[in-house]
Amino acid sequence: MTRLVGRGLAAPLVAAALLTAPATAHATAPAPKEATRTIEWVAVLKSHTKPARVREGADWTTYAHLHLKARDGRPGKKIGDTTAHCAAILVNQRGHVTQCSRVLRTDAGHLSLTETMDRYGKGPHSAPAAVTGGTGAYADAEGEATVVLHGDIATFRIVLDD
């Protein structure tokens, strides 16, 4: 730096550092947390086409009634229905791994979810899901969900980024 002072270059370098420092600090600062909305729903299975013996590549559909989640965690008021299309992507001695696309339909609009779930043992089975879109009140929906399957009951905890 002393050589630069002698050549008269130190001041411009310090000025340049000061001018670029705020921009750099701003660019690396974390974005403010967006507002979120949490939805908790319960689905009760009504029909499915899942084979008795699941093999890799097998696919099936499900249909369920969709309810608000009551305080005790059980199905509350019926608000719509839900369908899923699932495929077995891995089958082994412990169980299978599925990839499912779901549509949850209410009068207010639809939400779409997709997840990959390990279904090893009797359950319950749980997996994170991506919110892949929506319509109506859920148009432009983004966020994440947790899907829990336990027998004929599925619970959804959906966190939407508004």
Side-chain angles (χ1 to χ4, degrees):
M1 187 76 152
T2 54
R3 282 193 239 163
L4 295 176
V5 171
R7 295 184 184 157
L9 295 176
L13 288 177
V14 171
L18 290 175
L19 287 174
T20 59
T24 304
H26 178 69
T28 60
K33 185 172 179 161
E34 296 182 35
T36 61
R37 178 171 56 150
T38 301
I39 300 169
E40 294 192 87
W41 290 335
V42 177
V44 179
L45 183 68
K46 294 300 173 185
S47 65
H48 67 84
T49 62
K50 184 176 178 184
R53 181 168 160 84
V54 175
R55 300 180 190 277
E56 278 185 24
D59 66 331
W60 59 90
T61 59
T62 63
Y63 174 79
H65 288 171
L66 189 62
H67 301 263
L68 294 174
K69 185 176 180 182
R71 289 185 185 192
D72 64 1
R74 299 174 73 181
K77 178 184 175 188
K78 183 176 180 260
I79 58 167
D81 61 13
T82 179
T83 58
H85 181 253
C86 300
I89 56 174
L90 174 71
V91 177
N92 59 35
Q93 295 169 330
R94 296 180 1 218
H96 55 277
V97 177
T98 59
Q99 181 175 342
C100 296
S101 297
R102 302 178 186 278
V103 177
L104 292 76
R105 300 187 319 157
T106 71
D107 287 341
H110 304 172
L111 271 175
S112 299
L113 307 176
T114 186
E115 94 272 342
T116 300
M117 181 181 291
D118 295 344
R119 297 185 188 191
Y120 296 138
K122 290 186 177 188
H125 303 107
S126 176
V131 175
T132 56
T135 66
Y138 312 108
D140 299 323
E142 294 178 343
E144 294 185 12
T146 300
V147 178
V148 178
L149 303 178
H150 193 217
D152 289 348
I153 303 291
T155 58
F156 303 94
R157 184 174 192 280
I158 304 163
V159 179
L160 298 176
D161 299 332
D162 289 335

